[in-house]
Amino acid sequence: MFRIEPLSRQPVYEQIVEQTETLVLTGSLKAGDQMPSVRSLAVTLSINPNTIQKAYIELDRRGIIQAAPGKGNFISPAAYDLLCQTKRSQLDAFDTLVRELLLAGIEKEELCGRLDTLAATSLKGECDV
């Protein structure tokens, strides 16, 4: 489920957060699904349990998971919608980047081709927002 890149410049806990969010957006993890326990995931990935706990705290803060005392951590009912809203809020940055690329002489057709390729390889289509 999770793959950690030990040589990455991205901290391990951020890799776990990012991969969890991707799994929710692609539908691999759905509302109500249980996350692996901190201890079991730490053993599986051969990393410190505090690192897993840090990732889970961040996911909880973002509303992606909910802790059920004595039962574990579960994907929250609102996780998918929250992630879609977060991604949608990045459209302004996308617009800015596209303007800069066009000013730099990159043709509209090349940008559209790249967008079409990305959309075709996406595991899931649209957000339900």
Side-chain angles (χ1 to χ4, degrees):
M1 179 184 285
F2 294 98
R3 282 183 26 147
I4 301 303
E5 297 295 330
L7 300 178
S8 172
R9 295 176 61 106
Q10 184 181 34
V12 172
Y13 86 94
E14 287 180 4
Q15 291 181 48
I16 294 167
V17 169
E18 185 177 287
Q19 289 176 38
T20 301
E21 290 178 344
T22 299
L23 290 168
V24 170
L25 286 171
T26 60
S28 296
L29 284 175
K30 295 178 179 43
D33 286 353
Q34 186 168 13
M35 294 291 289
S37 72
V38 169
R39 193 174 308 267
S40 69
L41 191 54
V43 169
T44 301
L45 299 176
S46 299
I47 57 177
N48 190 313
N50 292 334
T51 302
I52 306 296
Q53 186 62 38
K54 186 174 183 179
Y56 281 15
I57 288 169
E58 180 60 22
L59 287 164
D60 185 60
R61 186 190 68 75
R62 294 182 187 189
I64 307 305
I65 64 172
Q66 294 176 327
K71 295 183 180 175
N73 293 288
F74 297 84
I75 301 298
S76 75
Y80 181 77
D81 291 335
L82 286 170
L83 289 168
C84 286
Q85 286 177 324
T86 299
K87 297 304 178 190
R88 186 171 294 282
S89 71
Q90 296 172 347
L91 283 173
D92 288 340
F94 174 77
D95 292 347
T96 300
L97 177 61
V98 168
R99 277 190 208 95
E100 291 172 358
L101 292 170
L102 290 168
L103 287 172
I106 296 174
E107 298 292 326
K108 174 184 170 188
E109 293 74 23
E110 183 178 353
L111 293 174
C112 289
R114 293 254 182 139
L115 187 57
D116 288 342
T117 300
L118 288 170
T121 59
S122 175
L123 297 176
K124 187 162 185 171
E126 301 175 14
C127 292
D128 301 326
V129 181

